[in-house]
Amino acid sequence: VGARTTANPFAVQEIADALRGRNVEVMVKNPLNPDPALWIGALQRIKEAGVKHIYAIHRGFSSYGKNIYRNPPQWQVALEVKQQMPDIPMICDPSHMGGARKHISPLSQKSLDLGYDGLMVEVHHNPEKAWSDKSQQLTPEAFQRILENLIIRNEATATESTKLDCLR
């Protein structure tokens, strides 16, 4: 479910109704604006339709003005969703957050440090010829290097100060 659709409860309900009784996996991206209640509402509608495999996709949020990132993470919003719906895996999309290849590795590491359950990264065999979002796509080789350098910590080793820093 795309970010624009997540922001529309009527559209999300139609999707939920269409999925009722089906064994499918559903990924629900965060809405464009940092509204945890809207995101949680979309996740709940899909869950109430009986979908058992739901994932929350954190792709960052729209903002006005100059930013380092295309869609600033505003980690505290996703952490609030994760806290209220701990049974739904939280997946980070550092490609859309960063908007540029150079941001993917640090955003990926930060999400893993915050206890995210996985990553969704854009990879293309020739990013310069991609039809869209070419500046945020990695080659398979670059993706492999990032994966090799990620440090996966278990929750016991993730420091409380890392989570507190994010919430500040």
Side-chain angles (χ1 to χ4, degrees):
V1 179
R4 289 165 190 81
T5 304
T6 299
N8 182 338
F10 302 104
V12 173
Q13 189 60 55
E14 282 188 49
I15 292 169
D17 292 343
L19 294 174
R20 192 171 304 280
R22 297 178 191 249
N23 184 19
V24 295
E25 294 185 7
V26 178
M27 297 178 167
V28 181
K29 292 183 178 181
N30 62 259
L32 294 173
N33 296 314
D35 185 344
L38 199 55
W39 195 4
I40 289 167
L43 292 163
Q44 286 174 333
R45 287 174 189 273
I46 301 296
K47 189 174 184 177
E48 288 168 6
V51 175
K52 296 188 182 354
H53 305 288
I54 306 169
Y55 305 88
I57 309 298
H58 182 200
R59 63 181 305 280
F61 300 94
S62 292
S63 65
Y64 178 76
K66 294 239 179 216
N67 283 295
I68 313 171
Y69 304 122
R70 175 181 178 191
N71 295 314
Q74 299 189 37
W75 301 105
Q76 71 279 11
V77 177
L79 292 177
E80 183 176 334
V81 171
K82 180 91 171 141
Q83 182 179 24
Q84 290 189 38
M85 301 192 83
D87 57 321
I88 295 182
M90 181 66 68
I91 309 295
C92 181
D93 179 350
S95 301
H96 275 92
M97 275 182 195
R101 290 178 198 99
K102 67 181 180 179
H103 299 305
I104 294 174
S105 182
L107 287 167
S108 296
Q109 186 63 60
K110 176 81 172 186
S111 70
L112 294 180
D113 290 347
L114 290 170
Y116 280 51
D117 300 292
L119 300 168
M120 175 189 288
V121 179
E122 288 192 37
V123 178
H124 192 282
H125 70 282
N126 187 350
E128 295 310 315
K129 292 196 175 186
W131 290 357
S132 67
D133 297 335
K134 62 179 77 178
S135 64
Q136 68 192 39
Q137 295 186 25
L138 298 172
T139 63
E141 296 79 20
F143 179 56
Q144 180 66 36
R145 282 191 301 276
I146 286 175
L147 289 178
E148 289 169 354
N149 289 309
L150 287 174
I151 299 168
I152 300 173
R153 311 177 208 299
N154 64 31
E155 263 192 60
T157 62
T159 65
E160 197 61 34
S161 65
T162 302
K163 292 180 182 180
L164 287 174
D165 288 343
C166 166
L167 292 172
R168 289 187 183 113

